[in-house]
Amino acid sequence: MLDSWPEAIFYLGVLVLVAFLIALLIVGTFETRKLKLQADQAEDLRQLVRRFEQLAEGTLDAQQRTASDLAELRARATSIEQILRTVD
């Protein structure tokens, strides 16, 4: 087995070093996975923001068309009222 204390201490040191390296590998793997998940969440959020911006633009366009149509209808109604007043 082991012949002396220095040899036992050496092997114990090697064992601690190997355990430390394995722990570093595991922590690194978890950190990499966590960063990838955060990057995926950030990309999903960017896509959601782009979709919201597109919907907002579409809504603004529809509101502008509706306002234009309403203004035209008001002008026509005013014109019809004037024609009806002249008929009386």
Side-chain angles (χ1 to χ4, degrees):
M1 190 123 154
L2 298 176
D3 293 334
S4 66
W5 279 105
E7 190 177 336
I9 292 172
F10 172 75
Y11 286 124
L12 187 59
V14 169
L15 181 66
V16 168
L17 179 64
V18 168
F20 179 73
L21 292 176
I22 289 173
L24 280 179
L25 179 67
I26 291 171
V27 168
T29 301
F30 282 128
E31 286 296 317
T32 302
R33 200 175 276 184
K34 184 171 98 175
L35 289 175
K36 185 179 182 316
L37 285 174
Q38 287 175 345
D40 290 345
Q41 288 174 345
E43 180 59 30
D44 290 345
L45 184 60
R46 280 197 274 304
Q47 288 178 358
L48 185 62
V49 167
R50 276 188 232 117
R51 184 174 178 206
F52 174 77
E53 288 172 345
Q54 291 171 349
L55 289 172
E57 288 174 8
T59 301
L60 182 61
D61 291 344
Q63 286 176 342
Q64 289 173 345
R65 284 192 307 263
T66 302
S68 174
D69 291 347
L70 184 59
E72 183 182 344
L73 288 173
R74 284 183 182 157
R76 287 181 182 183
T78 302
S79 174
I80 291 171
E81 286 175 359
Q82 288 175 352
I83 290 172
L84 290 175
R85 284 188 189 136
T86 58
V87 170
D88 286 341

